[in-house]
Amino acid sequence: MAVSRDRESDLCVVGLGPAGRALAHRALCAGLSVTAIDPRPDRLWPPTYSCWLDELPAWLPATAIATTIPAPTIWTTVRRRIDRPYCVLSKHGLRDALPVDGAVVVEGRAAQLTAHQVTLTDGRVFDATAVLDTRGLPGPGRRRAASAHGVFVDEGNAAPMIAGNEGLLLDWRPENGAGPTEPPSFLYAVPIGDGTVIFEETSLGLRGGMPQHELRKRLLTRLTAHGIQLTGTEPCEAAHYPLDQPPPPKGGAGPIAFGSRGGAMHPCTGYSVADSLALVDTAVGALQRGRDPIIDMWSLPARAVYWMRMRGLYGLGRLTTEQSAAMFDAFFASSPRGQRALLSARDDYAGLGAVLFDTVAHTWPFRWRYDLVGWTNRNRWLNYEIDPATTSEPRP
């Protein structure tokens, strides 16, 4: 195959998901030349993205937000309201807020990436001062994963559980039909601003994740318990990705990993978009100064926070449904700083260490704390086999 070499640019961004598009957009705003490569550069992103409102950078316009939930609900052993606004991002609004009109946008799939060069599967080669790998993560295999199955339900039909600008971030009530000896999952449900509510059964921390058919079965059982009847024609959404992608080392010889591929995936929540958006100016500023952006994005405190969050992921991945509810009950009874240290803050290692200790200390019964820290049942679900899918799907 003949090889063609295209012009050099300051940055070559490989992958135009939210992280890559934001990076390309802000680099263009800073006056850098950008080549952006993606197999489907004009595709609207499939997932529904959400975050805490205060996590978004000031430069992002309000048009990127589809709906805001002033005080979302948490169900553990009791019902709690979290006094912190939460938002669902608009797919169209977010993409339109990140124009890349000044970039050279290339439709193609990268075959090989180096620090200064990208080779596509069709043989084209693109040179750049810096190559940034912003592609999503590959399938988790046996890594600790987040898995979710979502169904979009008309707001009127969803009213028994979600009405108006309400949102349900965690629902650990035992209503999904899973027994006490089965790996746990919880419900996430928020309005997405188009007249529908997404109900999403979610599993966090299992090695290899939980299969879609099991999550759907649990979701339909849960909705039935609240009198929500589906037609079977509702659109669906699936998620399945690893949670344990570490921060890249500084001074690496290859391309610069950014976004979920660069450690922005929160090990305990599975969120990465808000953190990626908040870090793009840090990365662009470092590149403008000729610095390694990994150094600026991943300080020692930030790496310590990531390490502690991984301890939380290990704990979460070995709990039962009852234990998970008790643990989250203890966590959401902590101070606002403690909650933010786990959920959002990138470098508050003191606050995170304190809330992790406090959560373990206030999880009851006392013996469950041994599971949480891994002294007992360290690999509870390691070789658990989920029942295979059946030919008949349960309907509410």
Side-chain angles (χ1 to χ4, degrees):
M1 178 183 294
V3 175
S4 63
R5 187 174 301 276
D6 288 80
R7 69 179 180 85
E8 181 177 323
S9 56
D10 294 323
L11 304 183
C12 185
V13 178
V14 183
L16 281 177
R21 194 174 180 93
L23 187 61
H25 167 68
R26 294 301 286 176
L28 290 167
C29 291
L32 300 178
S33 59
V34 176
T35 299
I37 299 172
D38 190 275
R40 299 172 62 187
D42 296 323
R43 180 184 65 162
L44 192 64
W45 307 307
T48 299
Y49 299 115
S50 306
C51 62
W52 299 101
L53 185 62
D54 55 32
E55 292 179 312
L56 295 174
W59 54 260
L60 191 70
T63 53
I65 299 171
T67 185
T68 300
I69 302 161
T73 297
I74 304 290
W75 265 105
T76 54
T77 57
V78 295
R79 181 177 183 268
R80 297 180 183 275
R81 298 292 293 272
I82 307 302
D83 189 21
R84 185 184 180 192
Y86 183 85
C87 67
V88 179
L89 299 176
S90 164
K91 295 181 184 182
H92 289 281
L94 180 60
R95 187 180 64 178
D96 292 346
L98 305 173
V100 291
D101 298 338
V104 177
V105 179
V106 179
E107 183 174 344
R109 188 175 299 276
Q112 183 178 4
L113 281 67
T114 68
H116 306 291
Q117 191 175 88
V118 178
T119 303
L120 304 190
T121 54
D122 61 9
R124 286 179 291 171
V125 177
F126 294 86
D127 296 316
T129 304
V131 172
L132 291 106
D133 188 355
T134 62
R135 295 172 296 176
L137 293 171
R142 295 298 296 167
R143 296 168 67 179
R144 297 184 183 274
S147 304
H149 182 84
V151 176
F152 296 90
V153 179
D154 179 82
E155 285 181 346
N157 198 13
M161 292 190 75
I162 302 294
N165 59 354
E166 296 177 348
L168 187 56
L169 298 194
L170 286 167
D171 189 346
W172 282 106
R173 288 177 289 181
E175 299 172 336
N176 61 7
T181 60
E182 298 178 79
S185 61
F186 63 90
L187 178 69
Y188 168 88
V190 292
I192 65 169
D194 65 351
T196 65
V197 172
I198 183 171
F199 288 93
E200 197 166 60
E201 193 75 15
T202 305
S203 164
L204 293 176
L206 291 184
R207 287 193 178 275
M210 188 174 289
Q212 290 293 308
H213 72 268
E214 177 67 18
L215 290 166
R216 181 172 178 83
K217 179 180 72 174
R218 295 184 181 196
L219 176 60
L220 298 181
T221 301
R222 194 188 292 273
L223 295 181
T224 298
H226 288 268
I228 297 177
Q229 301 295 321
L230 304 186
T231 65
T233 61
E234 291 83 1
C236 299
E237 181 176 291
H240 187 60
Y241 50 86
L243 291 169
D244 56 358
Q245 182 71 10
K250 62 182 180 181
I256 299 165
F258 184 82
S260 60
R261 193 172 283 257
M265 183 67 67
H266 194 304
C268 299
T269 67
Y271 289 27
S272 66
V273 171
D275 199 39
S276 299
L277 293 174
L279 284 173
V280 290
D281 282 357
T282 301
V284 169
L287 291 165
Q288 284 182 303
R289 297 189 300 273
R291 286 175 52 85
D292 180 358
I294 303 301
I295 297 175
D296 289 3
M297 292 188 293
W298 288 102
S299 63
L300 286 178
R303 290 181 184 272
V305 163
Y306 179 85
W307 183 88
M308 286 190 279
R309 285 174 174 168
M310 282 299 298
R311 310 285 80 72
L313 171 63
Y314 297 151
L316 181 62
R318 55 177 163 256
L319 299 182
T320 65
T321 298
E322 278 189 302
Q323 290 173 334
S324 298
M327 184 272 289
F328 277 106
D329 192 38
F331 170 73
F332 282 107
S334 64
S335 68
R337 178 189 173 182
Q339 293 180 32
R340 289 170 187 260
L342 176 67
L343 298 174
S344 302
R346 298 192 77 251
D347 55 6
D348 187 5
Y349 61 91
L352 179 54
V355 76
L356 290 176
F357 179 87
D358 189 65
T359 297
V360 174
H362 289 88
T363 297
W364 292 93
F366 186 92
R367 67 182 184 279
W368 286 355
R369 303 175 192 181
Y370 298 135
D371 287 10
L372 186 54
V373 300
W375 292 350
T376 54
N377 294 306
R378 188 177 185 88
N379 295 305
R380 173 180 268 129
W381 308 118
L382 181 59
N383 295 311
Y384 187 91
E385 294 292 335
I386 302 288
D387 290 338
T390 60
T391 55
S392 60
E393 182 184 77
R395 296 289 180 183

